[in-house]
Amino acid sequence: KEEAKRALGKEVVFFDYDAVTSQVAFPLPKGYTTKAVYSAGTLKRVGSAKDYTTSNDGYIETVTFGAAPGNTVWVSIMAVRSN
C-alpha cells in the first residue's frame, strides 16, 4: 500500500466483491475513483474492447465488465479518493 500511495499520491483503498451469477456492474462508494481492477486474482484491462469500462453518474463510479466474472468470483477494485 505504501508503494502505491507514493506512486499515486493518494491513499489506496481496495473494495472487494463476490460476484453473483450474471453480475457485471460493481459500484464504488461515493467519492472514489478506480485505479486498477482484479478478477479471480488477475489484473484486468480497461477499455470497451478489453475487460471493463468505468462510468460516473456525478456521484458514484461504477466498474462494468464486458462479460460477467462468474458466480462467486472475487472482484477487487483498487481505488483512491477522487477529491
Side-chain angles (χ1 to χ4, degrees), residues 15-59:
F15 296 102
D16 294 327
Y17 304 85
D18 289 319
V20 294
T21 307
S22 59
Q23 182 178 6
V24 294
F26 298 84
L28 294 176
K30 184 178 177 183
Y32 285 91
T33 300
T34 304
K35 290 299 178 185
V37 175
Y38 297 85
S39 177
T42 303
L43 180 62
K44 298 300 178 181
R45 300 174 302 159
V46 66
S48 59
K50 302 211 175 9
D51 299 312
Y52 72 94
T53 58
T54 60
S55 61
N56 192 310
D57 66 3
Y59 298 99

Side-chain angles (χ1 to χ4, degrees), residues 60-72:
I60 294 175
E61 183 163 293
T62 301
V63 171
T64 304
F65 284 89
N71 194 34
T72 70

